[in-house]
């Protein structure tokens, strides 16, 4: 049975698309047939991070409008066997996405036996973000350890609890997961960032993982590669932990403490 997961937040620039790409890639690597959908109509960044921007012929809006079919629109990833990308349009308005149109696409994807449908939400609480979360079964609420980011994520939780199809139909609520990105334990210790416990106290949802601040995230994105595929990266390890937890595995949360310097670093700085 297909599971729809939205990756969302109130604030822009917190790593939603990076997270969508890495979580989808991680699930596909585990053998699950996975599609990741870019809901950010008018901007379209997912295809850049996935390294398939030159292969986009038709997009999500074309599919909703019946201007293309699913096999024409889906882009099969060249690196991971079970991974597909559904890109957004750069030339349409966000109002081009409707509840009915998204619903039809979701049913088509379910009919193609996709195990996971990952919805990469645009920032904010407007039409595009509401469309991305409407059909969700689960939500990964992504936040930075900053007061403004956490506050905006709190607003998104309210929308998840009131504006989703599950809420409207009185079904079991969307299962919510907290993902903290760009976490720097040293800056937290110096009082420059909120701690993991501070964020959990404010948002009161279960922690899925902590992604450490890393230059490799930007480097991977610029090279058209989900950071989870960077085998020597702490961010990659953290995302793999998140995927494992999504699948029900119990793992300790890593990358939340300042790492002590080794002998050579203490000697040579």
């Amino acid at each position: 049975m297909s599971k729809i997961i939205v990756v969302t937040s109130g604030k822009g620039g917190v790593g939603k698309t990076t997270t969508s790409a890495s979580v989808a890639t991680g699930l596909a690597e585990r053998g699950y047939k996975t599609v990741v959908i870019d809901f950010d109509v008018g901007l379209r960044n997912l295809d850049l991070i996935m390294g398939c921007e030159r292969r986009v012929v038709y997009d999500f809006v074309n599919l909703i409008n019946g201007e293309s079919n699913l096999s024409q629109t889906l882009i099969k990833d060249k690196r991971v066997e079970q991974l597909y990308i559904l890109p957004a349009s750069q030339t349409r308005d966000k109002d081009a996405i409707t509840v009915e149109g998204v619903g039809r696409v979701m049913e088509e994807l379910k009919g193609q036996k996709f195990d996971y449908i990952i919805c990469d939400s645009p920032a904010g609480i407007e039409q595009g973000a509401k469309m991305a979360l409407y059909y969700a079964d689960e939500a990964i609420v992504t936040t930075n350890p900053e007061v403004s980011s956490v506050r905006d994520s709190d607003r998104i939780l309210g929308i998840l609890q009131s504006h989703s199809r599950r809420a409207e139909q009185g079904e079991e609520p969307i299962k919510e997961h907290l993902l903290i990105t760009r976490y720097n334990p040293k800056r937290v210790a110096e009082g420059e960032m909120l701690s993991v416990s501070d964020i959990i106290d404010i948002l009161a949802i279960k922690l899925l993982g902590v992604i450490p601040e890393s230059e490799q995230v930007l480097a991977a994105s610029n090279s058209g590669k989900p950071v989870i595929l960077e085998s020597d990266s702490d961010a990659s390890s953290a995302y793999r932990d998140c995927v494992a937890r999504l699948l029900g595995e119990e793992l300790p949360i890593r990358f939340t403490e300042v790492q002590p310097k080794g002998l050579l670093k203490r000697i040579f700085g």
Side-chain angles (χ1 to χ4, degrees), residues 32-191:
Y32 296 97
K33 189 177 181 183
T34 304
V35 59
V36 55
I37 306 174
D38 190 349
F39 274 80
D40 204 354
V41 175
L43 292 178
R44 198 175 89 186
N45 289 316
L46 178 65
D47 56 305
L48 294 171
I49 289 181
M50 298 300 296
C52 64
E53 68 277 9
R54 295 182 182 179
R55 298 170 60 201
V56 176
V57 178
Y58 295 104
D59 57 52
F60 193 19
V61 175
N62 292 137
L63 184 59
I64 286 174
N65 291 341
E67 298 159 354
S68 64
N69 61 38
L70 196 60
S71 61
Q72 289 175 307
T73 314
L74 284 177
I75 299 172
K76 191 175 187 303
D77 190 82
K78 292 183 176 180
R79 293 162 297 208
V80 182
E81 178 64 26
Q82 294 278 58
L83 181 60
Y84 296 80
I85 300 97
L86 184 49
S89 171
Q90 280 187 307
T91 58
R92 306 292 183 97
D93 187 82
K94 286 181 170 57
D95 292 335
I97 298 181
T98 64
V99 169
E100 296 77 17
V102 173
R104 287 196 303 271
V105 172
M106 293 300 176
E107 289 305 312
E108 278 195 74
L109 291 169
K110 290 177 180 179
Q112 293 296 315
K113 301 295 191 293
F114 277 94
D115 298 301
Y116 285 94
I117 301 167
I118 308 299
C119 302
D120 180 28
S121 173
I125 55 174
E126 297 179 357
Q127 177 76 356
K130 289 179 179 178
M131 291 298 99
L133 66 82
Y134 185 76
Y135 290 97
D137 301 307
E138 300 188 20
I140 299 175
V141 180
T142 310
T143 187
N144 291 159
E146 305 166 359
V147 172
S148 61
S149 180
V150 174
R151 181 185 62 188
D152 289 347
S153 293
D154 199 27
R155 293 179 69 195
I156 282 293
L157 288 173
I159 293 173
L160 287 168
Q161 292 158 8
S162 60
H163 286 77
S164 68
R165 183 184 62 171
R166 284 175 171 267
E168 289 180 359
Q169 297 184 355
E171 298 177 0
E172 186 178 338
I174 291 174
K175 186 177 181 181
E176 299 159 342
H177 309 275
L178 172 62
L179 182 69
I180 303 171
T181 57
R182 296 179 181 168
Y183 195 78
N184 186 322
K186 184 173 182 293
R187 294 182 65 187
V188 171
E190 292 170 353

